[in-house]
């Protein structure tokens, strides 16, 4: 007896014991079966969800009615030294979102061209696929997370089998003030699922025209002997179907005789971080060795907390892209000895 058959038997027995009619039982099982076939949890209503996630109905109702009070706002520094605002859910809401992520979203397939936020895929896979190509085109989706529509996510839950009420509730639990919050654990996976049809449409064109394509969140990369204008028009048309647009300022078409950058990584011959980034790290290690860590921090007026941890993270990123870089392997060993 498989899980679906076991569920049907137990549900029928329990519902009959509690006096529910055969018509009601059939109606419930008709709703449950498509979800069980996809190995998804059956959730009938807010009371049922309350029992599954371990939080009261009143808590769930407050979380969706007063969303902004269930997040903390903070900023992080981007690669270009600008600030990005993130909204992290408070621990209880985060636990509920993680349940939605693990029990529902992670069980749905995303496009194989999506390289971000997918277990066992990485930025390295996104970039190394495009090495040693005549042309590289990169495009960027404008205001990616916040532009994903509430209705699109609600439809996502409905299309996999959940009722209108449950789809609405799941979506509200994943949104903040009608925006998909960057900082919630569910947002990355939702974004990949919303773009699944987009990825498939773009990849269909690319396969036909022998162009390589990958997507790392909002960064789109194309390489080969490509028609940039044709690709850009197709991308704009497909994005418009889900209410998204390109950031025209970030469009880049790169030839072999210039640095071909994808998501901040050079891909001309092999994936490698730019010289400017590597030289900055070389200089920091050099001065730490020359003056000692304490004097280096004083000389540079360095106030960043956990400076060594931050520096180690940057070196690990270099080694993630190029694990055989002997110079940075030595830097990593040196920093370990300083701890």
């Amino acid at each position: 007896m498989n899980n679906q058959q076991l569920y049907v038997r137990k549900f029928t027995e329990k519902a009959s014991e509690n006096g529910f009619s055969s018509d009601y039982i059939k109606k419930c099982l008709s709703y449950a079966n498509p979800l069980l076939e996809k190995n998804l949890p059956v959730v009938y209503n807010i009371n049922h969800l309350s029992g599954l996630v371990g939080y009261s109905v009143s808590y769930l109702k407050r979380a969706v009615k007063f969303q902004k009070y269930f997040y903390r706002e903070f900023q992080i520094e981007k690669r270009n030294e600008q600030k990005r605002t993130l909204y992290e859910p408070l621990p209880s809401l985060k636990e509920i979102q993680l349940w939605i992520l693990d029990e529902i979203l992670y069980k749905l397939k995303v496009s194989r061209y999506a390289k971000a936020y997918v277990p066992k895929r990485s930025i390295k896979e996104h970039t190394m696929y495009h090495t040693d190509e005549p042309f590289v085109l990169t495009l960027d989706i404008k205001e990616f997370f916040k532009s994903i529509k509430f209705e699109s996510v609600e439809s996502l839950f409905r299309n996999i089998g959940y009722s209108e009420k449950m789809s609405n509730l799941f979506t509200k639990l994943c949104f903040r003030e009608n925006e998909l919050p960057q900082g919630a654990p569910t947002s990355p996976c939702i974004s990949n699922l919303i773009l699944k049809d987009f990825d498939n449409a773009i990849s269909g064109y690319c396969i036909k025209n022998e162009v390589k394509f990958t997507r790392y969140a909002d960064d789109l990369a194309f390489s080969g002997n490509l028609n940039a204008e044709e690709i850009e028009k197709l991308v704009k048309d497909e994005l418009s179907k889900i209410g998204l647009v390109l950031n025209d300022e970030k469009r880049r078409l790169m030839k072999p005789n210039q640095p071909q950058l994808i998501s901040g990584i050079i891909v001309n011959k092999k994936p490698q971080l730019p010289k400017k980034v590597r030289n900055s790290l070389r200089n920091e290690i050099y001065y730490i060795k020359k003056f000692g860590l304490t004097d280096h921090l004083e000389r540079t007026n360095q106030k960043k907390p956990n400076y060594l941890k931050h520096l180690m993270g940057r070196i690990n990123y270099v080694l993630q892209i190029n694990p055989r870089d002997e110079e940075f392997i030595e830097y990593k060993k040196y920093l370990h000895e300083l701890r």
Side-chain angles (χ1 to χ4, degrees):
M1 185 178 292
N2 61 31
N3 289 338
Q4 186 174 355
Q5 292 169 329
L6 187 63
Y7 180 92
V8 169
R9 194 190 77 182
K10 287 189 173 182
F11 182 90
T12 303
E13 288 174 359
K14 196 75 175 175
S16 299
E17 286 173 11
N18 284 277
F20 289 102
S21 69
S22 59
D23 284 346
Y24 179 80
I25 293 171
K26 283 181 183 177
K27 186 179 177 182
C28 289
L29 291 177
S30 175
Y31 170 68
N33 280 325
L35 294 168
L36 293 169
E37 286 171 2
K38 298 183 182 81
N39 193 31
L40 296 172
V42 180
V43 190
Y44 292 102
N45 51 44
I46 191 170
N47 295 284
H48 191 186
L49 180 64
S50 169
L52 290 171
V53 299
Y55 286 90
S56 68
V57 170
S58 62
Y59 179 87
L60 293 174
K61 288 182 175 179
R62 290 198 308 274
V64 300
K65 188 175 182 180
F66 307 107
Q67 292 173 340
K68 69 178 181 179
Y69 300 112
F70 285 78
Y71 290 83
R72 73 177 185 95
E73 179 181 333
F74 64 101
Q75 292 185 323
I76 61 169
E77 195 173 282
K78 294 160 65 175
R79 282 198 299 262
N80 58 10
E81 298 184 357
Q82 292 181 349
K83 301 288 184 181
R84 172 179 284 138
T85 301
L86 301 183
Y87 296 98
E88 183 183 26
L90 297 182
S92 296
L93 177 57
K94 189 172 188 177
E95 191 175 348
I96 293 167
Q97 290 177 346
L98 285 170
W99 184 91
I100 295 171
L101 180 66
D102 292 335
E103 299 298 325
I104 300 175
L105 299 175
Y106 271 161
K107 292 179 180 178
L108 306 175
K109 285 187 177 181
V110 301
S111 156
R112 68 189 184 95
Y113 300 94
K115 302 303 180 183
Y117 318 130
V118 182
K120 297 182 180 179
R121 300 185 198 177
S122 67
I123 195 166
K124 183 180 178 182
E125 187 177 343
H126 171 56
T127 55
M128 70 186 298
Y129 187 54
H130 300 280
T131 55
D132 203 19
E133 290 291 341
F135 294 96
V136 171
L137 171 69
T138 57
L139 302 173
D140 179 88
I141 302 173
K142 191 174 184 179
E143 296 184 328
F144 184 43
F145 278 15
K146 69 188 297 184
S147 297
I148 290 175
K149 301 285 188 290
F150 183 95
E151 295 77 13
S152 298
V153 180
E154 198 175 24
S155 293
L156 170 69
F157 285 110
R158 270 205 315 272
N159 290 338
I160 59 177
Y162 289 104
S163 67
E164 286 191 19
K165 283 188 177 179
M166 282 313 307
S167 298
N168 183 267
L169 179 58
F170 283 138
T171 306
K172 283 179 176 175
L173 287 167
C174 296
F175 266 66
R176 178 193 178 277
E177 300 287 275
N178 211 34
E179 288 182 2
L180 196 62
Q182 192 164 1
T186 42
S187 295
C189 190
I190 285 173
S191 70
N192 275 337
L193 291 165
I194 293 297
L195 265 74
K196 183 179 178 181
D197 288 345
F198 166 85
D199 289 339
N200 290 338
I202 300 303
S203 65
Y205 165 90
C206 291
I207 291 168
K208 183 178 177 181
N209 291 277
E210 298 184 349
V211 172
K212 293 180 179 178
F213 161 64
T214 55
R215 180 177 60 80
Y216 194 83
D218 53 354
D219 293 335
L220 313 177
F222 304 85
S223 63
N225 285 305
L226 50 81
N227 184 326
E229 289 73 21
E230 196 170 83
I231 290 172
E232 190 171 1
K233 183 182 183 306
L234 175 65
V235 168
K236 286 182 176 180
D237 289 345
E238 291 298 324
L239 285 178
S240 70
K241 294 177 182 178
I242 47 177
L244 300 177
V245 297
L246 285 180
N247 185 343
D248 292 330
E249 294 179 2
K250 292 190 175 181
R251 177 192 186 275
R252 300 285 184 273
L253 177 61
M254 294 155 282
K255 301 174 184 178
N257 59 354
Q258 63 186 122
Q260 295 174 329
L261 273 168
I262 296 177
S263 300
I265 297 167
I266 293 175
V267 298
N268 292 64
K269 292 297 179 185
K270 62 180 179 180
Q272 188 73 280
L273 288 176
K275 269 187 180 180
K276 182 180 177 182
V277 175
R278 294 164 59 80
N279 285 340
S280 173
L281 286 166
R282 287 187 182 105
N283 286 340
E284 289 189 61
I285 296 294
Y286 171 80
Y287 286 115
I288 290 171
K289 287 181 175 180
K290 183 173 182 179
F291 298 112
L293 179 61
T294 303
D295 282 357
H296 171 66
L297 295 177
E298 289 177 1
R299 284 169 177 268
T300 55
N301 197 28
Q302 177 60 250
K303 300 188 185 301
K304 191 185 293 287
N306 300 319
Y307 169 76
L308 270 185
K309 186 177 179 181
H310 177 72
L311 185 58
M312 180 67 85
R314 290 161 62 200
I315 287 171
N316 280 336
Y317 185 55
V318 174
L319 292 172
Q320 180 189 346
I321 304 303
N322 184 6
R324 297 178 182 177
D325 192 316
E326 294 183 4
E327 177 187 4
F328 282 83
I329 290 171
E330 288 302 314
Y331 292 162
K332 183 175 181 177
K333 288 178 183 176
Y334 174 71
L335 289 183
H336 269 302
E337 292 169 3
L338 283 182
R339 289 181 172 183

